[in-house]
Amino acid sequence: MTKRMMRTAGANRLSSIRQLLRSYASATRARHSQHYFKTGPGDYGEGDVFMGVTVKVMRVIAKKFYKDATLSEILLLLHSPMHEERQVALFMLVAKFERGSGVEQKRIYTFYLKNTAYINNWDLVDMSASKIVGAYLSARTKAPLYALARSKNVWQRRIAIIATLQFIKNNQFRDTFKIARILLTSEHDLIHKAVGWMLREVGKRSISAEEDFLRRYYQRMPRTMLRYAIERFSEVKRRSYLKGLA
């Protein structure tokens, strides 16, 4: 296939993806998403635009096109102002990473970190960070996560802690705890929720490890972070933590 033919095929793929997304769009669902993902002035998702397409449909579309899609095509989708186009791009990126060679995975990981400006809502982070960043760094230095954790950008900080879900699944908690300590002073509610969630995930595998961390730091935690972390505890134990008596 010539370069011209490849460009034409790529353009046709992008057009097909966008047409499919629009064919499943719902104005009612879009309005709900605009509110749910806080897209108003001054909100964390300010300016994000939704078509109103379900996650199930986006997964199906990504599965249909990811094998032939190039990173250049995925980049165009990821840079879209439309939330669903960015989400399909990330679904395709995750699928390509999971099935890629070591060389391909490195390219995708690098691509991902170069484009965090467009991974700019919590659902986009949560469905991709552990599956790409966490998976790639599992057997490598975790230094990139600490740089992200100290970023001024809320989405990069969320990527840092959510990426550790991959380690948690392998019963490796050290980096989750270290990044959680860095983020204890974060002022953003989305970070409080993410850290609390990851601590809760640790607790599903080792309640003693989670409680050891909590006993040392729970009195310094933002309330939302603590509530998320202790969500699965008994009512009595939750009360003791919330009252500072644990």
Side-chain angles (χ1 to χ4, degrees):
M1 185 180 290
T2 67
K3 288 185 177 180
R4 182 176 180 180
M5 291 171 66
M6 290 173 65
R7 286 196 297 270
T8 300
N12 289 339
R13 251 190 310 275
L14 285 172
S15 178
S16 295
I17 290 169
R18 286 168 169 152
Q19 287 177 14
L20 272 172
L21 283 170
R22 281 156 181 74
S23 72
Y24 286 99
S26 162
T28 300
R29 191 178 297 113
R31 284 193 297 272
H32 171 76
S33 295
Q34 297 282 159
H35 174 74
Y36 184 69
F37 288 99
K38 308 296 184 185
T39 62
D43 289 335
Y44 63 74
E46 181 177 359
D48 208 350
V49 182
F50 287 80
M51 287 182 275
V53 182
T54 66
V55 170
K56 181 178 179 180
V57 166
M58 287 187 279
R59 288 184 185 276
V60 170
I61 292 172
K63 184 177 181 180
K64 180 177 180 179
F65 290 99
Y66 83 90
K67 288 182 181 178
D68 295 324
T70 66
L71 288 186
S72 296
E73 293 162 26
I74 291 174
L75 183 68
L76 291 174
L77 285 174
L78 191 58
H79 285 200
S80 170
M82 305 303 299
H83 187 98
E84 288 89 344
E85 289 189 12
R86 300 200 304 282
Q87 191 155 358
V88 167
L90 290 167
F91 277 132
M92 290 198 292
L93 210 58
V94 167
K96 290 176 84 68
F97 181 93
E98 290 176 343
R99 295 158 181 80
S101 66
V103 172
E104 290 167 334
Q105 289 183 339
K106 182 177 181 179
R107 285 184 65 211
I108 292 167
Y109 163 80
T110 301
F111 174 96
Y112 186 96
L113 289 188
K114 284 183 177 179
N115 288 282
T116 55
Y118 304 94
I119 306 168
N120 56 355
N121 218 313
W122 59 263
D123 61 323
L124 303 181
V125 172
D126 294 359
M127 53 76 65
S128 62
S130 68
K131 294 178 180 179
I132 294 177
V133 180
Y136 185 77
L137 296 179
S138 284
R140 296 176 174 85
T141 174
K142 309 303 187 291
L145 293 185
Y146 292 89
L148 290 169
R150 293 182 173 91
S151 170
K152 294 181 179 179
N153 182 281
V154 64
W155 306 120
Q156 291 187 348
R157 297 200 301 277
R158 189 166 175 116
I159 287 170
I161 188 65
I162 297 298
T164 71
L165 179 58
Q166 183 70 28
F167 314 151
I168 294 169
K169 290 177 179 178
N170 294 323
N171 294 313
Q172 298 168 357
F173 311 136
R174 176 174 175 270
D175 293 291
T176 299
F177 291 149
K178 290 180 71 174
I179 291 172
R181 287 200 299 270
I182 292 171
L183 297 175
L184 281 177
T185 58
S186 175
E187 296 180 356
H188 206 295
D189 184 64
L190 288 174
I191 301 302
H192 303 168
K193 292 176 179 178
V195 173
W197 171 24
M198 290 303 102
L199 293 175
R200 187 171 73 239
E201 290 297 321
V202 169
K204 290 179 182 179
R205 291 148 181 93
S206 174
I207 191 63
S208 61
E210 182 188 5
E211 286 212 72
D212 181 60
F213 181 87
L214 288 176
R215 279 191 290 268
R216 284 182 285 165
Y217 297 105
Y218 83 96
Q219 291 182 325
R220 294 166 49 190
M221 283 184 179
R223 202 70 164 175
T224 297
M225 186 184 295
L226 178 59
R227 286 186 180 278
Y228 269 60
I230 63 176
E231 189 175 89
R232 292 168 58 88
F233 289 8
S234 68
E235 181 65 22
V236 171
K237 188 178 285 188
R238 282 202 307 272
R239 287 178 183 173
S240 68
Y241 274 102
L242 292 171
K243 292 179 179 180
L245 301 174

